[in-house]
Structure formats: structure tokens, C-alpha cells
Amino acid sequence: MTSLLDSVRYSTLVSYTWEQPRLLLLLPLVPLLFVLRWVMARRHRSKLGVAFVAGQLPRDWSTVLRFVPDVVLALSLSFGVVALARPQRTDERVVQTGEGIDILLVLDVSGSMELQDLRPNRLEAAKRLAREFLDGRQGDRVGLVVFAGDAYSLAPLTTDYDLLRDNLQGLRLGMIPNDGTAIGTALGVATNRLRDSRSRTKVCILISDGENTAGSLDPLTSAQLAHAYGLKIYTIGLGQDGTVPYGTDEAGQPRFVETRLDETTMRQIAQAAEGQFFRATDNAGLRQIFGQINRYEKSEIKQTRYRNTLDYYRTYLFWCIGLWLLWLALKNTFLTNALED
């Protein structure tokens, strides 16, 4: 009984999808049929011009009961239309199959990343576009390594992209006290993190703006070791060579410093690990580079959709037949006038 009452609730009706939604346009015609019937009856009904009583007959509430059969018939027809429109609910389940990629972002947070040839500075530009890169991943495990004079694994390989975005947002200049650029050490930490990965594709994306000035590991040796463990390394060199803006002086005038990227070493690292070197001299170039890497390294994730559709027309067909039988029963009572049918 409860399910029958729930079926006529407004919230239940609007929750359906309909196999034949155009049939619902017939619902306004149901009351129109009774209006037409009433008009035709008044126009063609025979009248006897004889008054049996003086004055008007007193009205009684029980006269309203004569409309009950018509209301029951109208409801029966309405439920019949709803049943014909086939109310349904679809339960869709998505199953993903395939193998993702393990990706490690290795990001320079040394003092030179404060230079402003990329806006607002090199570090903030790299952070923003790394977050956009995460938005394009699906089913891949991503980790984060940061380095300056030392290197640290900040986030393990994970598919929790919200956690990774929070970690990227928290990166700041000076977070590693020992300043410098330990590229070789950073690659060693990345290799140690990825070497036990069972993924068929293991990718390291190294983002730096300088030359190796710290650490005890040679960058090229680290790249060769990474390749031995199956890592592919993409290197991204940030910034322009020469004079670039760096904050303002006491008078509020822009300051400029000299900077240089060791492009040769960055290229050798990428070549040693079967990757590719990119140079980003502005924000647009860096965005294009991340877009290219995103296209190169796509995981093979297949989605299988299972749709389970349930029909609910039987409930409304039950209402239709039940009310129809009730209307037939009421026709044999005092509520109807056999002379008018």
C-alpha cells in the first residue's frame, strides 16, 4: 500500500525518465473530455418545462457526490496515459579497465625560481600549469618531488589528485633551507620512488631553471640509472637566458639579474632516458609543453557502461484498472443517473 501511495507523489513522478514522453501531452485532454461531455449534454438534453415545486430546490452537500464517478473515471484515464508513457528509472554503472601511468613531477623550488620572466614568477607559473596538467589525468598515479640544494619526496604516487593539488599549492620559495640546484639528487630520489612501480610506463617530468650546482650525484649518471629502471624523463627548462626582472629596489624601480640555463645538460638527461627536452621562456610556452606531454603519455583506460533500466508502468496500470473497476461499480449505485448515460 505504501508503494502505491508513493507512486502518485510529485517527487516520484518527476524522478522518472519516460519511454514515450509525448503521450503525457494527452493528460490535459482528460478533463477536456468531461467538459465537452457536459457541453454536449446541456445542448442536446431534452427538457420538460414543468415546475413541480414553487421556488428553487435547496442545495445539499450530498449533490456533490454525483461527481465522484466522473472523478474516478478521469483518474483512471490519467493513470492509463501515464502507464502508456512508460515511466522508467535507469541505473548506470561505469567500470574502468586498463592500466594507468606512474608520473613523478620533479619541481625546482630554489631561489632562482623567484625570477619574473614568467608571471607572476617561475615557481608560481610552474605550480599553476602543473595543477592544470593534473586535471587532464585519469586513472594515473602521480607523485611529487621538490628540490633545491637537497631533494625530498613530498607526495607518494597516488590517484588522490586533490591531495596533490594541495601539495602543489603549498610549495614556496625557501621551503628547503639548503639553496642550490641539485638536479642529480632530485633524479635519484625520483628513481628510488619509481623503481618498484609495476606500471609498464613510468614517467618523470623534471622542471628546473638552472644548472646543477649542488648534490653529490651527477645528473647524467642519475638519468642513466633512471633509464635502467625503465623511467622516461621529460625535462623542462624554465626562463630566459640573460637579463631578467627580479623584484624592485628601495626606490620601487625594477631590478634585473643575469641568469643562465644549462640547456646542454637538460638535453642530455632527456636523451639518456628516452624522453624529450622542452624550453619554456613564457607562460604560453610552458602551457603548450604540458599539453604536449599530456598527449604523449596517455593511459589506456577503457570504460564499460552497464545500464539497468526498470519499468514502473505496471504500478500505474494497476491504478488505471483498479479505478476503472471502481467506476463500473459506482455506475450501479445511487451516485449515477441511468437516464443521463
Side-chain angles (χ1 to χ4, degrees), residues 162-214:
D162 289 333
L163 172 65
L164 291 165
R165 291 187 190 95
D166 291 341
N167 283 325
L168 282 169
Q169 185 64 35
L171 296 183
R172 66 186 188 282
L173 298 163
M175 65 183 297
I176 297 178
N178 183 20
D179 201 17
T181 308
I183 295 175
T185 303
L187 290 175
V189 172
T191 302
N192 190 53
R193 174 63 69 182
L194 283 171
R195 67 179 183 177
D196 294 328
S197 167
R198 296 182 179 180
S199 175
R200 289 191 301 173
T201 305
K202 295 177 280 189
V203 176
C204 175
I205 303 175
L206 172 67
I207 307 170
S208 181
D209 68 344
E211 55 184 338
N212 190 66
T213 59

Side-chain angles (χ1 to χ4, degrees), residues 1-5 7-8 72 75-84 87 312-327:
M1 185 64 180
T2 304
S3 61
L4 284 176
L5 293 177
S7 67
V8 297
V72 171
L75 289 174
S76 175
L77 295 175
S78 298
F79 282 121
V81 171
V82 171
L84 288 173
Y312 290 86
Y313 73 90
R314 294 179 183 85
T315 302
Y316 299 96
L317 188 59
F318 176 85
W319 275 111
C320 174
I321 295 174
L323 291 171
W324 182 271
L325 294 175
L326 177 61
W327 175 73

Side-chain angles (χ1 to χ4, degrees), residues 107-328:
L107 185 57
D108 189 347
V109 293
S110 61
S112 60
M113 293 289 283
E114 192 176 1
L115 298 182
Q116 297 169 339
D117 47 351
L118 276 73
R119 296 294 179 181
N121 59 44
R122 293 176 176 179
L123 179 59
E124 291 303 319
K127 285 166 54 177
R128 181 174 63 250
L129 293 171
R131 288 195 296 270
E132 292 180 10
F133 177 76
L134 285 177
D135 294 338
R137 310 315 300 180
Q138 183 179 8
D140 300 328
R141 295 196 305 169
V142 183
L144 180 62
V145 170
V146 294
F147 70 97
D150 299 308
Y152 299 97
S153 178
L154 190 63
L157 291 168
T158 180
T159 55
D160 187 349
Y161 299 143
D162 289 333
L163 172 65
L164 291 165
R165 291 187 190 95
D166 291 341
N167 283 325
L168 282 169
Q169 185 64 35
L171 296 183
R172 66 186 188 282
L173 298 163
M175 65 183 297
I176 297 178
N178 183 20
D179 201 17
T181 308
I183 295 175
T185 303
L187 290 175
V189 172
T191 302
N192 190 53
R193 174 63 69 182
L194 283 171
R195 67 179 183 177
D196 294 328
S197 167
R198 296 182 179 180
S199 175
R200 289 191 301 173
T201 305
K202 295 177 280 189
V203 176
C204 175
I205 303 175
L206 172 67
I207 307 170
S208 181
D209 68 344
E211 55 184 338
N212 190 66
T213 59
S216 57
L217 279 174
D218 176 65
L220 187 55
T221 303
S222 295
Q224 292 168 344
L225 179 63
H227 182 250
Y229 281 105
L231 275 69
K232 182 189 293 186
I233 301 177
Y234 291 99
T235 56
I236 301 175
L238 290 182
Q240 305 170 6
D241 287 334
T243 303
V244 297
Y246 175 55
T248 57
D249 57 21
E250 293 79 1
Q253 298 299 317
R255 291 187 302 179
F256 295 89
V257 296
E258 290 289 327
T259 182
R260 187 180 78 86
L261 172 72
D262 186 0
E263 185 172 315
T264 301
T265 300
M266 297 285 275
R267 286 185 181 277
Q268 289 175 343
I269 291 171
Q271 290 172 358
E274 296 185 0
Q276 192 171 345
F277 167 75
F278 300 94
R279 186 68 186 266
T281 57
D282 55 28
N283 292 48
L286 184 58
R287 176 174 281 107
Q288 289 177 357
I289 290 166
F290 270 114
Q292 281 184 268
I293 297 174
N294 203 26
R295 289 192 296 272
Y296 292 158
E297 301 298 339
K298 279 293 187 184
S299 54
E300 296 181 0
I301 302 296
K302 297 180 180 179
Q303 288 189 346
T304 304
R305 296 181 180 271
Y306 297 93
R307 295 172 63 90
N308 182 28
T309 301
L310 297 177
D311 269 309
Y312 290 86
Y313 73 90
R314 294 179 183 85
T315 302
Y316 299 96
L317 188 59
F318 176 85
W319 275 111
C320 174
I321 295 174
L323 291 171
W324 182 271
L325 294 175
L326 177 61
W327 175 73
L328 290 177

